[in-house]
Amino acid sequence: MCIRDRYQRRVRGSHSQKMANSDSEDELDPELEYTLGAFADANVYQVHPGTMSASGDYLADSWKEEHFVTSVCGEIMARDCAIAIRMRDEKTGAAFAVCDVEDEDSVVDTIDSSRYVVLKLKDPASKRVALLGMGWTQRALAYDFKATIRDHQKRVRFRQEQQQRQSKPAVMHDYTLAANQKISLSHKKAPKPRRKSAGGSEKSNSGFAPPPAAAKIKRDPPHTPV
């Protein structure tokens, strides 16, 4: 099952009607939680020390059968600017884990496969961080999962930049002239009139000779009969 209707929000409680009638995320109640998308058939792996490459990136090829934990499904939830990935065990339906997406480092791609990501889970109480590998057998499912998160992050950044621009006071410029200040105006000179040549034709200032005059045809005098 892939992510469908990522931009149609399904809400719970008394705000569902308000959400259905809203066409913009800017009008949403910041305390309202809504669904960005859903995912399923995701395999979860243990991120072990061998997952890291020499450059510090993650390698999905290092996750073997002994590192497999379980298969999960879940939803990508949003509340104002925050995103939460809620995972449930696909067999039992029990809650498995929650990943709060705080920044772009919360969900990181692996360098050897676009079907796998590494999730950063943080315990709110102890602030301890745990890493989980997650991937799909179908590339389209992985793309939909990542695109849903990144599209929302782009919208949040755009809204924040727009608010910052609106909060800046408008700069007022004073164009009043001082008491002794003068303004100099420059204007182009009028073009020179064309001069006439000796033959009466106009001579252009462009440097090119005027076209030749029409040739005169010499006619014979009329013949007088004898």
Side-chain angles (χ1 to χ4, degrees), residues 9 22 24 26-27 32 34 41 61 103-104 139 167 193 224:
R9 308 166 186 90
S22 177
S24 173
D26 295 335
E27 302 174 1
L32 178 64
Y34 56 96
D41 301 329
D61 189 57
D103 49 38
E104 296 182 356
R139 198 175 305 276
S167 62
T224 305

Side-chain angles (χ1 to χ4, degrees), residues 200-222:
S201 60
E202 292 184 353
K203 186 175 181 181
S204 174
N205 291 329
S206 60
F208 296 96
K216 294 183 179 181
I217 301 175
K218 186 177 181 182
R219 298 177 179 273
D220 295 334

Side-chain angles (χ1 to χ4, degrees), residues 1-2 41 114-115 135-144:
M1 181 175 65
C2 62
D41 301 329
S114 61
R115 295 183 290 110
W136 292 262
T137 57
Q138 298 182 29
R139 198 175 305 276
L141 300 181
Y143 174 83
D144 286 345

Side-chain angles (χ1 to χ4, degrees), residues 135-199:
W136 292 262
T137 57
Q138 298 182 29
R139 198 175 305 276
L141 300 181
Y143 174 83
D144 286 345
F145 176 84
K146 293 185 288 186
T148 301
I149 296 173
R150 289 168 184 170
D151 287 350
H152 181 75
Q153 291 174 334
K154 289 179 181 178
R155 291 193 294 270
V156 170
R157 284 196 298 268
F158 175 79
R159 189 161 62 243
Q160 290 174 345
E161 292 173 359
Q162 193 175 32
Q163 292 174 352
Q164 290 177 358
R165 288 193 297 266
Q166 293 175 353
S167 62
K168 291 182 179 179
V171 180
M172 303 298 293
H173 298 281
D174 186 8
Y175 296 102
T176 306
L177 296 179
N180 299 324
Q181 188 176 1
K182 296 182 180 180
I183 298 178
S184 299
L185 300 177
S186 60
H187 63 278
K188 295 183 180 180
K189 295 182 179 180
K192 295 181 179 180
R194 294 185 175 184
R195 296 175 298 172
K196 290 188 176 181
S197 61

Side-chain angles (χ1 to χ4, degrees), residues 55-94:
S55 59
D57 299 309
Y58 298 104
L59 297 171
D61 189 57
S62 63
W63 300 334
K64 306 302 180 183
E65 185 176 354
E66 59 268 21
H67 303 127
F68 174 76
V69 180
T70 187
S71 296
V72 298
C73 60
E75 294 82 30
I76 304 173
M77 308 298 296
R79 177 178 293 174
D80 196 19
C81 299
I83 304 176
I85 304 172
R86 295 181 179 176
M87 293 168 276
R88 302 188 308 274
D89 191 287
E90 206 159 36
K91 293 181 179 179
T92 64

